[in-house]
Amino acid sequence: RDEIANDGTGSIAVNTVWIEWDLGTKLPPCAVGEEEYLGECFKINFINDDEIKFYSSKNIEVYAVVYGTPERFRVPNCSPVTPGMAIFCAPKKENLDAFARFTGMLARRYDGTHGNGKISGFVIGNEVNRNEWYDIGCGTGTPCDFIRWVDSYADFFKTAYDSIILFQSSAKLFISFDHAFSSVYWDRSQGDDSVEPSISIQTFLPEFARLVGNRKWSVAYHPYNANPFSPVFSAYDNANFGKITMGNIGMLPGWLQKTFPDKPEVYQDIKFTESGYHSDGTSAGENAQAEALCNSFRNVLGTPGITTYIYHRMVDNIGEGGLLLGLRKLYGVYGEAKPSWNTWKLMNRPGNLDCGFEL
């Protein structure tokens, strides 16, 4: 952590999972290691607690990615693609008050005035335009009602927003999307595609904006490559795949400004909260990863409106279906740096400016 903090890092993302804080509606008095809020005890997640406190002390912004519905609050008929994905079942409408208590507790505990550090921004859900990550009870063969899907998420977001701003009036809230941008390619609800339905950003956001009214929001985007197992991105990714990647990222702020011209916070404060490049375990693959990372910085620096770029991830993860996105290795010598580590670490160092920073 010290190395990351001392290498010019500006922000990190922390997965803040509701179910990991849940004690099953335990009433006060609360024990040591618990936090009381509105008549309910929450179990402090000390991993989250330590991360938020440490990085805040280094003046690094912390973005909490908030998800993980406890079982008793989940919508009926939720059918996750694997059992471990059940935490991404949406909460029932009648249980949104429980989500309000959780998000309100986080906003109060991490407002920067209680000695616990500060959460600077809240990402509400993860890739909520994909059924596997925000499941209202459709998918795996059951067609989805897109209007009901967006309506459910809008209620989820409004609940979080209204509870968070009670303690942090200037807090920023974000909607997390994967790279499925085009309505031509990515509005899928029928036939074989109903296994893992998706809603395009072009379809999702206008309806969402209408439902949340005057509440302020911005986009937390994941510009993964069209083929995540290839480090190659292209200016033609939308034309060929209907996706916005690092190759054509100018389309995102352009479309946001055109679609929401009266909401400058939407197109002037875009966060990339998750994005990475595959290395195939060979020297050539690792060098290609480093080159892709460098080129991605050039494109981010050359695109107005992008204020944060968080790389995913620091170390390869065995649970990502064979993707080796880490800047350090999982296999072989654990933690050994790949060439991309030095690219990430050195690109904005004075005297070593590269990857667009020299311009």
Side-chain angles (χ1 to χ4, degrees):
R1 288 197 314 194
D2 286 329
E3 189 172 12
I4 291 170
N6 293 333
D7 279 328
T9 302
S11 56
I12 67 158
V14 174
N15 290 328
T16 311
V17 183
W18 182 11
I19 194 172
E20 293 177 355
W21 291 71
D22 182 59
L23 285 170
T25 317
K26 179 184 174 183
L27 303 179
C30 302
V32 174
E34 297 175 357
E35 176 95 352
E36 187 274 330
Y37 181 70
L38 290 183
E40 182 176 341
C41 299
F42 291 89
K43 175 179 59 178
I44 296 170
N45 181 319
F46 286 105
I47 294 176
N48 286 165
D49 205 57
D50 190 46
E51 293 283 281
I52 295 166
K53 186 181 298 183
F54 173 83
Y55 285 107
S56 295
S57 74
K58 301 291 186 179
N59 296 317
I60 295 170
E61 289 193 324
V62 175
Y63 293 93
V65 186
V66 185
Y67 61 88
T69 309
E71 184 174 3
R72 66 190 185 282
F73 298 139
R74 296 169 190 164
V75 292
N77 304 318
C78 185
S79 50
V81 291
T82 62
M85 299 292 284
I87 63 171
F88 294 101
C89 295
K92 292 177 284 189
K93 195 179 184 77
E94 59 267 30
N95 292 130
L96 286 174
D97 58 336
F99 186 56
R101 287 193 295 275
F102 174 59
T103 51
M105 180 274 298
L106 289 177
R108 184 187 68 179
R109 180 172 177 82
Y110 301 110
D111 65 357
T113 68
H114 290 85
N116 303 311
K118 181 178 176 64
I119 294 175
S120 299
F122 296 81
V123 181
I124 308 304
N126 177 65
E127 296 187 354
V128 298
N129 61 319
R130 292 179 59 176
N131 163 260
E132 62 188 304
W133 300 105
Y134 190 80
D135 190 336
I136 63 167
C138 60
T140 59
T142 301
C144 291
D145 180 334
F146 286 174
I147 297 299
R148 190 166 67 88
W149 184 339
V150 179
D151 184 72
S152 170
Y153 177 73
D155 285 342
F156 190 59
F157 183 92
K158 289 187 292 185
T159 295
Y161 183 98
D162 293 345
S163 59
I164 288 168
I165 62 166
L166 292 175
F167 300 100
Q168 297 193 41
S169 59
S170 61
K172 295 183 177 181
L173 276 73
F174 300 88
I175 315 162
S176 170
F177 292 114
D178 79 340
H179 53 189
F181 174 74
S182 173
S183 58
V184 174
Y185 286 79
W186 290 102
D187 290 340
R188 305 183 301 173
S189 63
Q190 305 297 325
D192 293 339
D193 284 335
S194 64
V195 174
E196 295 182 22
S198 299
I199 311 179
S200 72
I201 293 169
Q202 285 187 317
T203 296
F204 194 108
L205 269 181
E207 178 65 10
F208 169 83
R210 183 186 70 81
L211 291 169
V212 300
N214 293 327
R215 295 173 180 84
K216 291 190 174 182
W217 52 271
S218 297
V219 172
Y221 192 69
H222 297 175
Y224 284 107
N225 284 353
N227 174 6
F229 285 93
S230 168
V232 177
F233 46 78
S234 165
Y236 299 101
D237 283 337
N238 188 62
N240 295 332
F241 304 102
K243 299 176 179 179
I244 288 180
T245 70
M246 284 296 190
N248 58 352
I249 55 173
M251 293 187 66
L252 183 59
W255 180 81
L256 290 172
Q257 184 170 358
K258 177 182 177 181
T259 308
F260 306 103
D262 59 338
K263 295 182 180 295
E265 68 276 6
V266 171
Y267 57 83
Q268 293 179 356
D269 190 16
I270 300 166
K271 308 294 187 188
F272 288 173
T273 51
E274 187 179 315
S275 182
Y277 306 98
H278 178 63
S279 60
D280 61 11
T282 67
S283 295
E286 291 176 1
N287 287 331
Q289 179 195 42
E291 182 180 3
L293 179 62
C294 187
N295 288 335
S296 75
F297 281 118
R298 293 186 185 279
N299 286 2
V300 168
L301 289 166
T303 305
I306 301 169
T307 55
T308 296
Y309 173 13
I310 297 176
Y311 187 81
H312 177 88
R313 51 189 294 138
M314 293 293 104
V315 182
D316 293 332
N317 178 12
I318 197 172
E320 292 191 315
L323 284 171
L324 302 176
L325 305 176
L327 303 179
R328 291 180 176 271
K329 297 180 181 180
L330 171 66
Y331 303 102
V333 180
Y334 176 79
E336 182 182 359
K338 303 177 189 177
S340 55
W341 170 259
N342 279 333
T343 301
W344 179 84
K345 177 178 179 177
L346 300 175
M347 46 81 195
N348 66 345
R349 288 278 182 89
N352 192 57
L353 297 174
D354 197 1
C355 303
F357 286 90
E358 72 278 13
L359 303 177

